[in-house]
């Protein structure tokens, strides 16, 4: 299909929205990204961009822009709370491409800056919060809370876990509480008590708590993420330093020292949610993409990567199909089996015993057991 004739509206300038806008713009499409925020910002935390994601960026000619603000990593390691090794594995997929392709560790803020920085000027419209959609079949009209309306041949709902597009067109799929809190912060290497030794991810597992140490050596930092079972499902829970210290009690003393030294006002604390699989992601002119379609728990580190891979698959489907509805059907057929499985696997974060400690007799809905 010749996509240069389409007017395409992307809702949300997160990783999924920015990536699909980049991929489409490379083929001359008329794309506008509508973002509710008045400035683009991300919380202080690190993520790992997998080899498949980095390979897609290479195909799109933006590998260097991402590599410049990230560190290549060879492997991840899982250890007990006190540092005894449990497992160590190379990142899967590193040798699947003509050139060895590492996982790249990156700060979330640097990643969104780099992705939006490679978009053509003026492609993102800030301060546009989608209020409602009118799906008229071949086109869809979007209404924003600032009073503007836009008609598009294709709407891509990349508006995250609480997606307005999903809730309006694909039914109620309210976020599901996982019974966990995530504490996330990036600290300087000098505050790491010697825990940054190379560019590899380490996860320490205690009873009901996981600590992820993700080095960001290119910016002299460490992403420190404590994920712990907790019954309080408030999106932004009010926690104290004592709460955090109780989660890491019994861990390697350097991890306890990092937690003790933190200024809690710099730590992003969130209750953790995902959604159940959504049966249908698209109509004839609207599709979901990324977390709006398949928000998943972060235990496998696949949410952002999945949003990017969705973007690549959607661009390819639009180029290959002879109509928008056929492309959206092909996109869902390719991606949904993969993300259904990742959503399911990501719910296997804890043992029965750990869940019983915090939720005696009633496991949270978003928890299977390993
Ligand atoms: C603790 C934690 C750790 C994680 N670690 C990893 C990791 O290591 N690896 C990984 O791959 N993933 C990880 N993830 C998941 C990852 O962050 C998400 O999957 C990813 O951000 C999804 O991207 P998205 O573009 O689909 O949605 P989002 O990043 O949520 O972006 C949605 C955008 O839409 C905008 N928006 C929302 N509603 C509207 C509206 N009505 N109108 C206009 N704009 C709107 C929002 O402001 C936002 O900019 C982690 C998540 C958490 C919570």
């Amino acid at each position: 299909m010749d996509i240069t004739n389409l007017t395409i509206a992307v809702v949300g300038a997160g990783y999924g929205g920015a990536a699909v806008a980049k991929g489409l713009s490379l083929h001359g499409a008329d794309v506008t990204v509508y973002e509710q925020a008045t400035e683009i910002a991300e919380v202080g935390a690190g993520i790992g961009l997998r080899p498949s994601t980095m390979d897609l960026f290479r195909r799109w000619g933006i590998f260097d822009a991402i590599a410049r603000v990230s560190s290549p990593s060879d492997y991840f390691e899982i250890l007990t709370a006190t540092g005894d090794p449990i497992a160590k594995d190379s990142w899967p997929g590193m040798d699947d491409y003509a050139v060895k392709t590492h996982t790249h560790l990156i700060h979330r803020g640097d990643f969104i800056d780099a992705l939006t920085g490679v978009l053509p000027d003026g492609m993102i419209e800030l301060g546009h919060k989608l209020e409602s959609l009118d799906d008229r079949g071949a086109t869809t009209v979007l209404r924003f809370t600032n009073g503007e309306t836009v008609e598009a041949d294709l709407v891509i709902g990349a508006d995250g876990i609480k997606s307005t597009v999903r809730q309006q067109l694909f039914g109620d799929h309210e976020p599901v509480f996982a019974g966990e809190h995530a504490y996330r912060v990036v600290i300087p290497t000098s505050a790491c008590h010697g825990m940054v030794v190379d560019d590899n991810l380490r996860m320490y597992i205690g009873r009901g708590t996981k600590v992820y140490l993700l080095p960001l050596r290119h910016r002299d930092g460490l992403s420190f993420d404590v994920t712990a079972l907790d019954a309080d499902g408030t999106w932004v829970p009010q926690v104290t330093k004592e709460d955090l210290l109780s989660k890491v009690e019994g861990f390697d003393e350097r991890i306890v020292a990092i937690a003790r030294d933190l200024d809690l006002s710099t730590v992003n604390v969130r209750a953790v949610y995902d959604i159940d699989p959504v049966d249908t992601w698209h109509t004839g002119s609207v599709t979901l993409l990324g977390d709006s379609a398949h928000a998943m728990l972060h235990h496998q580190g696949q949410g952002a990567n999945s949003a990017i891979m969705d973007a690549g698959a959607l661009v390819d489907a639009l180029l290959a199909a002879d109509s928008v509805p056929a492309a959206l059907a092909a996109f869902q057929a390719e991606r949904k089996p993969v993300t259904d499985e990742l959503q399911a696997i990501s719910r296997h974060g804890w043992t029965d015993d750990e869940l019983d400690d915090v939720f005696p007799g009633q496991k949270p809905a978003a928890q299977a057991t390993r």
Side-chain angles (χ1 to χ4, degrees):
M1 185 179 18
D2 177 6
I3 64 171
T4 59
N5 297 324
L6 299 176
T7 301
I8 302 177
V10 178
V11 185
Y15 304 130
V20 78
K22 177 63 192 174
L24 291 168
S25 67
L26 287 173
H27 297 279
D30 167 14
V31 188
T32 307
V33 184
Y34 298 96
E35 166 59 44
Q36 66 181 359
T38 49
E39 64 177 316
I40 304 281
E42 260 292 349
V43 298
I47 57 176
L49 300 175
R50 298 301 180 93
S52 51
T53 299
M54 293 305 295
D55 181 63
L56 177 65
F57 290 155
R58 183 182 291 121
R59 285 198 279 133
W60 284 355
I62 59 171
F63 183 98
D64 289 347
I66 306 297
R68 212 172 289 133
V69 288
S70 59
S71 294
S73 172
D74 290 313
Y75 65 84
F76 62 93
E77 193 172 8
I78 303 174
L79 307 102
T80 64
T82 49
D84 294 322
I86 299 174
K88 180 173 157 180
D89 254 317
S90 306
W91 292 104
M94 283 202 301
D95 296 313
D96 289 358
Y97 308 98
V99 188
K100 190 171 180 95
T101 305
H102 290 87
T103 284
H104 278 243
L105 306 184
I106 192 165
H107 187 289
R108 295 174 67 99
D110 293 344
F111 184 33
I112 198 65
D113 286 349
L115 260 187
T116 53
V118 296
L119 290 180
D121 280 348
M123 190 166 271
I124 301 180
E125 293 274 6
L126 297 172
H128 281 67
K129 180 177 167 64
L130 180 73
E131 187 170 58
S132 64
L133 302 101
D134 180 8
D135 185 344
R136 299 176 176 171
T139 64
T140 294
V141 175
L142 302 101
R143 267 187 200 80
F144 298 95
T145 54
N146 61 11
E148 281 185 39
T149 59
V150 167
E151 184 163 9
D153 302 306
L154 170 59
V155 175
I156 300 171
D159 51 344
I161 186 169
K162 296 178 184 168
S163 171
T164 301
V165 178
R166 183 183 72 239
Q167 285 175 10
Q168 294 217 350
L169 294 184
F170 304 100
D172 274 348
H173 285 84
E174 288 298 321
V176 182
F177 179 45
E180 302 169 11
H181 286 173
Y183 300 70
R184 290 172 289 167
V185 65
V186 174
I187 55 174
T189 308
S190 57
C192 293
H193 293 270
M195 291 301 266
V196 175
V197 290
D198 56 23
D199 293 310
N200 298 304
L201 172 69
R202 291 185 172 77
M203 176 172 74
Y204 293 76
I205 305 185
R207 195 176 169 90
T209 299
K210 301 179 201 300
V211 177
Y212 301 83
L213 301 185
L214 187 144
L216 298 164
R217 286 207 301 172
H218 56 282
R219 60 169 12 252
D220 204 17
L222 172 74
S223 170
F224 182 73
D225 177 328
V226 176
T227 299
L229 289 171
D230 200 294
D232 175 7
T234 314
W235 277 93
V236 183
Q238 295 306 305
V239 297
T240 62
K241 179 66 81 64
E242 286 63 42
D243 292 325
L244 172 58
L245 289 174
S246 73
K247 304 297 188 193
V248 295
E249 197 181 324
F251 275 69
D252 184 311
E253 62 190 23
R254 294 167 299 172
I255 291 176
V256 177
I258 293 173
R260 191 180 305 119
D261 293 349
L262 287 176
D263 169 358
L264 204 58
S265 69
T266 64
V267 181
N268 177 277
V269 188
R270 290 285 179 278
V272 180
Y273 283 77
D274 69 358
I275 58 171
D276 290 324
V278 177
D279 289 341
T280 307
W281 291 359
H282 68 94
T283 64
S285 58
V286 182
T287 187
L288 303 175
L289 178 146
D291 270 15
S292 69
H294 48 63
M296 58 188 73
L297 304 184
H298 59 281
H299 300 294
Q300 299 292 321
Q302 290 281 12
N305 286 283
S306 297
I308 307 290
M309 295 308 285
D310 284 358
L314 180 56
V315 174
D316 290 348
L318 284 162
L319 293 172
D322 52 16
S323 70
V324 170
L328 300 187
F331 164 61
Q332 173 174 330
E334 182 180 340
R335 290 296 300 157
K336 189 168 149 57
V338 178
T339 58
D340 279 356
E341 192 179 347
L342 286 172
Q343 282 183 292
I345 298 172
S346 300
R347 284 185 170 182
H348 290 255
W350 312 95
T351 62
D352 271 328
D353 282 352
E354 288 173 297
L355 290 169
D356 270 348
D357 279 353
V358 183
F359 308 96
Q362 45 154 33
K363 247 173 9 196
Q367 289 293 352
T369 40
R370 53 183 158 92

